[in-house]
């Protein structure tokens, strides 16, 4: 919101980022309007069987999330339980619980609203990186890199930003740019070391001596 | 959420029953209240017919509002919004974001069955439900004429928000309907003292049909505000 006191957009007018080759399509609503008070996104699956919500929990963000199936028909898998969810179904999920959804009908769309109870909303690091990765996949490295740099400028001591920047550089093929960010992420949160070992974003550098050094387990004692 | 880690519901299950005195009101699905959501506000309104008011004209300033950024999403049907003096069509799938709390916004349906979802919260602050929204379950009890239960909900909201004129007004309505004219009059007087718009509303609200005979009613609703 700059000059205008309000903004409108149709769902189809929002940017659409495919999340991986066979993943859902992400339409970043919060990012489009620069909403500062809550997280909101739409995910779509074009065909029956397509993933609409990738399996995840919100344990790290601590977000409670409300899902609304706005079109089509979805099947959720929450905490191992299958839930049929035609259009008009709300599902509210505690942060720690694993959740995923697939389309049961063509053109299924799910609106997700999230925030952390008792705290002012902050934009999640994943949202920034998903947008950057989306541009990278679409061949727009300049735009993706700009997003990552802005995120780092806003929050230079956030380990997820450094971690995701390392992932971004790895996917962009800029090997030498990876390790500074990964090293800083591990310094800020040692958990980043464990994440990096399993993260497919680092597949291209898994055997690189610097990656091995940064991620090797410390022997006890 | 107490025992289960998730909850599900259909939109239609969350709607309050039609208010007997206000059949013209759109159906209100009390989404936040139903799920006990603490991080943001969220509600939905569904119109029965074309031309029905979906979002009453309001801004997000003043003691009864939360200073919220609001995002509207037309889930189904077709709405017509008026925001900051501009009127525009909003078919299903349209988002309307009003970030400035001082901007007036309103919406009516262009089709029966139009549903508009509204999400709101204040940037930079932990979410707090608005007083009017905390009182949401009371409206269901008006519809079922369980006025004692409505009084219980509204009295609790009044304890949490003692200076909220809307909560006091609705408490007075419930007390009037339950036959407690003296309590209704006392709370109505407090509501009017806090916000003079409730003086006119009290004159026309059929919830007070039973108390014009109550000593003091005329004095409360007819005296002009002090200048």
């Amino acid at each position: 919101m700059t000059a205008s006191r309000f903004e409108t957009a149709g769902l189809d007018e929002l940017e659409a980022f495919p999340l991986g080759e066979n993943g859902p399509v992400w339409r970043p609503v919060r990012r489009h309007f620069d909403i500062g008070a809550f997280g909101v996104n739409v995910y779509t699956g074009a065909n029956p069987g397509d993933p609409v919500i990738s399996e995840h929990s919100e344990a790290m963000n601590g977000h409670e999330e409300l899902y609304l199936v706005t079109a089509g028909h979805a099947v959720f898998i929450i905490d191992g339980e299958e839930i049929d969810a035609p259009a008009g179904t709300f599902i509210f999920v505690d942060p720690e619980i694993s959740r995923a959804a697939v389309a049961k009908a063509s053109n299924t769309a799910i609106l997700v609203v999230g925030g952390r109870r008792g705290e002012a909303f902050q934009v999640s690091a994943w949202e920034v990186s998903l947008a950057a990765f989306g541009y990278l996949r679409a061949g727009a490295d300049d735009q993706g890199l700009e997003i990552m740099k802005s995120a780092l400028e806003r929050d230079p001591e956030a380990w997820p930003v450094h971690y995701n920047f390392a992932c971004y550089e790895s996917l962009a093929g800029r090997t030498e740019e990876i390790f500074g960010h990964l090293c800083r992420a591990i310094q800020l949160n040692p958990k980043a070391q464990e994440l990096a070992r399993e993260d497919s974003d680092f597949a291209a550098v898994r055997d690189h001596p610097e990656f091995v050094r940064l991620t090797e387990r410390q022997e006890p004692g | 959420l107490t025992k289960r880690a998730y909850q599900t519901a259909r939109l239609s299950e969350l709607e309050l029953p039609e208010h007997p005195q206000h059949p013209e009101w759109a159906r209100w699905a009390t989404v936040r209240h139903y799920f006990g959501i603490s991080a943001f506000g969220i509600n939905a309104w569904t119109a029965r017919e074309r031309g029905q008011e979906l979002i009453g004209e309001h801004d997000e300033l003043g003691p009864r509002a939360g200073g919220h950024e609001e995002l509207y999403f037309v889930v189904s049907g077709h709405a017509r919004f008026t925001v900051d003096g501009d009127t525009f069509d909003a078919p299903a799938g349209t988002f309307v974001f009003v970030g400035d709390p001082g901007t007036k916004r309103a919406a009516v349906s262009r089709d029966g069955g139009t549903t508009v979802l509204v999400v709101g919260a204040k940037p930079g602050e932990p979410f707090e439900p608005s007083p009017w929204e905390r009182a949401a379950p009371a409206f269901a009890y008006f519809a079922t004429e369980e006025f004692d239960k409505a009084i219980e909900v509204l009295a609790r909201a009044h304890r949490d928000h003692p200076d909220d004129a809307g909560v006091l007004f609705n408490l007075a309505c419930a007390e009037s309907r339950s036959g407690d004219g003296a309590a209704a009059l006392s709370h109505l007087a407090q509501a009017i003292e806090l916000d003079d718009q409730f003086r006119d509303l009290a004159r026309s609200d059929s919830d007070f049909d039973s108390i014009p005979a109550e000593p003091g009613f005329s004095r409360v609703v007819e005296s002009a505000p002090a200048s």
Side-chain angles (χ1 to χ4, degrees):
Chain A
M1 300 297 293
T2 48
S4 175
R5 290 157 71 86
F6 69 93
E7 283 183 86
T8 75
L11 183 54
D12 293 339
E13 296 172 77
L14 303 179
E15 284 181 295
F17 293 111
L19 303 179
E21 273 182 35
N22 302 306
V25 173
W26 171 45
R27 293 183 181 270
V29 184
R30 191 215 66 76
R31 187 179 158 75
H32 178 89
F33 293 112
D34 193 21
I35 296 170
F38 48 86
V40 56
N41 290 291
V42 171
Y43 297 87
T44 55
N47 301 302
D50 283 355
V52 188
I53 303 293
S54 304
E55 187 181 342
H56 72 289
S57 84
E58 289 291 319
M60 203 176 284
N61 279 331
H63 281 186
E64 49 183 30
E65 283 193 331
L66 180 71
Y67 299 84
L68 171 63
V69 182
T70 59
H73 195 141
V75 176
F76 277 76
I77 299 97
I78 300 186
D79 206 15
E81 198 174 328
E82 202 168 283
I83 299 153
D84 195 50
T89 304
F90 286 102
I91 301 189
F92 181 56
V93 188
D94 265 2
E96 302 76 20
I97 302 304
S98 165
R99 81 289 309 261
V102 295
K104 195 174 170 183
S106 300
N107 301 318
T108 294
I110 299 177
L111 179 88
V112 192
V113 187
R116 191 168 177 147
R117 59 176 67 192
E119 291 187 16
F121 177 76
Q122 290 194 317
V123 179
S124 307
W126 69 261
E127 192 205 280
V128 173
S129 53
L130 272 192
F133 290 15
Y135 280 119
L136 182 63
R137 276 192 213 99
D141 183 21
D142 286 356
Q143 280 172 277
L145 195 57
E146 197 50 47
I147 289 173
M148 292 310 304
K149 283 179 177 171
S150 301
L152 195 60
E153 234 175 73
R154 274 197 309 272
D155 217 347
E157 295 302 301
W159 76 267
V161 176
H162 282 282
Y163 183 88
N164 289 330
F165 212 146
C167 292
Y168 184 92
E169 296 291 21
S170 178
L171 294 172
R174 286 186 289 269
T175 307
E176 295 311 315
E177 306 297 325
I178 297 170
F179 305 117
H181 289 300
L182 184 57
C183 180
R184 187 68 187 130
I186 293 167
Q187 282 170 353
L188 292 165
N189 185 349
K191 207 163 93 179
Q193 191 183 47
E194 192 184 323
L195 283 174
R197 274 189 220 117
E198 308 296 326
D199 197 326
S200 59
D201 287 347
F202 296 117
V205 293
R206 197 152 312 282
D207 297 327
H208 191 288
E210 188 59 10
F211 185 83
V212 171
R213 187 186 70 77
L214 285 170
T215 57
E216 70 185 352
R217 287 185 176 84
Q218 301 297 312
E219 292 303 322
Chain B
L1 283 174
T2 48
K3 291 177 185 155
R4 298 199 75 178
Y6 69 89
Q7 283 179 288
T8 78
R10 302 298 309 279
L11 182 60
S12 55
E13 294 173 80
L14 308 185
E15 288 175 347
L16 297 180
E18 183 180 285
H19 193 299
Q21 264 78 48
H22 297 284
E24 75 282 9
W25 286 357
R27 296 196 302 267
W28 177 13
T30 56
V31 184
R32 191 208 67 78
H33 179 83
Y34 179 88
F35 291 114
I37 296 169
S38 303
F40 49 86
I42 182 163
N43 287 288
W45 276 268
T46 299
R48 271 175 290 273
E49 57 200 31
R50 181 186 167 93
Q52 194 168 10
E53 182 181 85
L54 277 162
I55 307 295
E57 187 186 71
H58 72 288
D59 58 35
E60 284 291 313
L61 299 176
R64 303 206 64 224
H68 289 171
E69 288 184 338
E70 284 194 328
L71 178 71
Y72 298 85
F73 179 62
V74 183
V75 178
S76 59
H78 196 139
R80 176 171 283 167
F81 278 75
T82 302
V83 186
D84 200 22
D86 289 353
T87 297
F88 53 91
D89 273 351
T94 303
F95 289 98
V96 178
F97 176 58
V98 187
D100 176 358
T103 299
K104 294 273 187 204
R105 76 290 310 258
V108 296
S109 63
R110 288 199 60 192
D111 289 339
T114 298
T115 295
V116 173
L117 185 80
V118 191
V119 188
K122 188 170 181 172
E125 291 187 13
F127 175 74
E128 275 288 330
S130 311
W132 67 265
E133 202 250 17
R134 272 191 205 272
F139 293 101
Y141 295 132
F142 272 83
T144 55
E145 304 201 340
E146 295 173 276
F147 298 112
D148 288 350
K149 290 181 180 173
I151 289 169
E152 202 178 308
V153 171
L154 289 159
R156 197 163 49 237
H158 175 51
R159 276 197 299 277
D160 293 342
H161 302 279
D163 295 328
D164 189 86
V167 170
L168 276 162
F169 183 83
N170 287 320
L171 179 57
C173 290
E175 287 163 339
S176 173
R177 297 294 306 278
S178 78
D180 189 349
L185 197 56
S186 165
H187 287 129
L188 178 60
Q190 290 176 55
I192 291 172
E193 197 179 327
L194 287 163
D195 187 340
D196 201 66
Q197 69 162 323
F198 289 107
R199 188 188 306 277
D200 282 344
L201 286 173
R203 285 192 197 113
S204 59
D205 196 318
S206 60
D207 284 337
F208 295 116
D209 283 354
S210 63
I211 64 165
E214 195 71 36
F217 182 76
S218 302
R219 179 176 48 77
V220 166
V221 299
E222 284 172 14
S223 51
S227 56

